[in-house]
Amino acid sequence: MTSSTDSAQFPLLKTPSFLKLMAFRLSVIFSYQIVAVVVGWHIYQLTRDPLSLGLIGLAEVVPYICTALFAGYAVDHHSRRFFGAMAGGVLMLNALTLAAVSAGYLPGNPTYWIYGSIVCVGFARAFIGPSFSALFALVIPRSEFGRAAGVGSSIFQIGLVMGPALGGILVGWTTVSVAYLVSAGFAVMAAVAILSIRVVEPPPAESVPVFTSIGQGLRFVFSNQIVLGAQALDMFAVLFGGAVAMLPAFIHDVYHHGPEGLGILRAAPAVGAVIIGIVLARHPLNRHAGKYLLMAVAGFGVSIILFGLTAHFWLAAFLLALSGVFDGISVVLRTTIMQLMTPDAMRGRVSAINGIFIGSSNELGAFESGVSARLMGLVPSVIFGGTMTLAVVAATARLAPRLRRLHLHELH
């Protein structure tokens, strides 16, 4: 780990465009995470079936995957800010629909309305990552990408801490409908923040047919061992090692806590990630970055295995926080690698491909966890997932030697 240069060299936290971009990120995460916690609680109360929790992820990931590459193309060829604001508007309408469902204003089976609403979330999410990534590279100089990634990761994880906690508190102290309305308010704030960014957007990428343009992005990723290795590592680790989707079942069946306890456990990984994000913003990793990335994902897998083995609520919270520390290291390193290696004209498309690798793995992981819990039982499914994460690390270390030997200074 190498010390950063003087933070006054480029004052990130005094740059209006960067602050507004971080406000967009924080607001959109609040909106999304409140809904994620409340929907999980809401639908488990209706069904009492762990598989129903996994189906939430499936309902979101299918439209996300179908839309992501086209979203990346749109961001590269049109306004970055517009599509980010549009995503915020969709999240707002989604939250309002869920509030109407919970209040009994919409007829029919409420679970159908919930899953249908989550489908809309998948469409919106497809535009958030590419918009953020493209604007990220416009508001700060290239030399500050590593430090800005640390700040951005901390902001992201603060949202993951406070969003679930706020969602749990709102459900416990008010009603599900109020929680959804608060989520809608944060979605509006996100749209306003991104539209207020003052930055000169570059000319659109060369006009080529949609599928040809998407193919260019795919060829770039799949021909680059470092980018592909980093994305695949996180994708499979999250796919098998994600235990968060099963937390409502753990809360009900293992720890016997209420919605506040669910908020604590959902927030715990982000607590660890915030701490490490702050450290990495001040002291970014440079030498042996590839080895640190592999070790971090391995540590994540071990933490998940230990989480599955404990029946004590606060020890479980600690282990989830520890998993967040390791995941935070992985996120910062992967973000920095992607930003440094991606050509400016391809940022939307590469971010969209990255989103399919990483973002969709959360929802597919939720579905995998639900199916595994149904087949193996709740605790064995989590232990199995953590073990598979360790296997993924071993395979990546062997198959991607350039990633294993990577030093970030080689990419500047």
Side-chain angles (χ1 to χ4, degrees):
M1 184 177 296
T2 60
S3 177
S4 67
T5 57
D6 184 1
S7 61
Q9 183 177 348
F10 184 84
L12 289 173
L13 300 183
K14 295 182 180 179
T15 305
S17 294
F18 182 75
L19 292 176
K20 291 175 181 177
L21 185 61
M22 293 300 105
F24 164 76
R25 189 172 213 191
L26 186 60
S27 298
V28 83
I29 293 168
F30 271 152
S31 179
Y32 176 82
Q33 287 296 323
I34 289 172
V35 165
V37 169
V38 178
V39 160
W41 179 264
H42 190 182
I43 206 161
Y44 196 75
Q45 288 288 327
L46 294 172
T47 66
R48 299 291 179 171
D49 184 358
L51 183 59
S52 68
L53 299 174
L55 290 175
I56 292 175
L58 189 64
E60 182 176 343
V61 75
V62 171
Y64 178 86
I65 291 176
C66 292
T67 308
L69 294 177
F70 298 98
Y73 170 86
V75 168
D76 279 340
H77 290 78
H78 302 284
S79 170
R80 284 88 171 147
R81 287 171 291 186
F82 169 78
F83 288 109
M86 182 193 71
V90 173
L91 290 178
M92 176 199 69
L93 293 175
N94 164 73
L96 293 176
T97 300
L98 288 169
V101 171
S102 64
Y105 294 149
L106 297 178
N109 190 328
T111 59
Y112 294 159
W113 282 104
I114 292 172
Y115 287 126
S117 185
I118 296 303
V119 168
C120 295
V121 174
F123 286 119
R125 275 193 57 219
F127 290 91
I128 293 171
S131 298
F132 175 83
S133 181
L135 287 169
F136 180 95
L138 294 178
V139 301
I140 56 172
R142 183 180 178 87
S143 61
E144 296 297 321
F145 280 1
R147 197 156 60 90
V151 175
S153 177
S154 294
I155 295 295
F156 179 78
Q157 299 298 342
I158 287 171
L160 295 186
V161 172
M162 298 180 67
L166 181 57
I169 290 170
L170 287 169
V171 173
W173 292 1
T174 60
T175 65
V176 169
S177 297
V178 170
Y180 287 139
L181 291 175
V182 171
S183 171
F186 279 115
V188 172
M189 292 171 60
V192 171
I194 198 168
L195 287 175
S196 68
I197 294 174
R198 294 291 177 261
V199 64
V200 178
E201 297 194 30
E206 181 184 354
S207 180
V208 295
V210 174
F211 288 101
T212 300
S213 179
I214 291 173
Q216 292 171 348
L218 289 169
R219 283 193 296 274
F220 170 79
V221 171
F222 282 91
S223 65
N224 190 308
Q225 185 184 111
I226 294 175
V227 172
L228 180 62
Q231 292 184 356
L233 176 65
D234 260 22
M235 180 185 75
F236 287 108
V238 173
L239 176 64
F240 291 114
V244 171
M246 293 298 104
L247 288 182
F250 271 92
I251 285 291
H252 278 280
D253 303 337
V254 178
Y255 307 124
H256 308 294
H257 277 255
E260 296 88 347
L262 176 60
I264 291 171
L265 292 188
R266 283 293 299 256
V271 172
V274 167
I275 294 171
I276 197 63
I278 293 171
V279 172
L280 293 180
R282 186 65 181 171
H283 304 284
L285 295 170
N286 190 344
R287 293 183 57 81
H288 308 298
K291 291 181 180 178
Y292 281 125
L293 178 60
L294 291 166
M295 289 189 293
V297 178
F300 173 81
V302 171
S303 300
I304 293 301
I305 292 172
L306 295 176
F307 163 77
L309 291 171
T310 183
H312 300 285
F313 177 83
W314 289 110
L315 179 57
F318 170 78
L319 290 169
L320 288 174
L322 188 62
S323 76
V325 171
F326 292 120
D327 187 50
I329 296 171
S330 172
V331 167
V332 170
L333 287 174
R334 177 173 48 80
T335 300
T336 305
I337 290 169
M338 189 180 74
Q339 290 288 354
L340 288 173
M341 299 199 73
T342 303
D344 287 341
M346 279 190 182
R347 292 193 182 278
R349 282 162 288 173
V350 173
S351 177
I353 296 167
N354 177 70
I356 292 176
F357 271 88
I358 310 305
S360 64
S361 62
N362 288 289
E363 287 69 40
L364 288 175
F367 180 65
E368 181 273 335
S369 296
V371 173
S372 297
R374 171 70 70 85
L375 296 176
M376 303 180 185
L378 189 60
V379 171
S381 69
V382 172
I383 296 172
F384 168 77
T387 303
M388 289 300 297
T389 298
L390 297 179
V392 167
V393 172
T396 304
R398 179 176 179 82
L399 297 175
R402 290 187 61 197
L403 176 63
R404 187 180 68 244
R405 296 191 293 264
L406 177 67
H407 305 286
L408 286 182
H409 65 80
E410 298 170 350
L411 305 181
H412 287 284

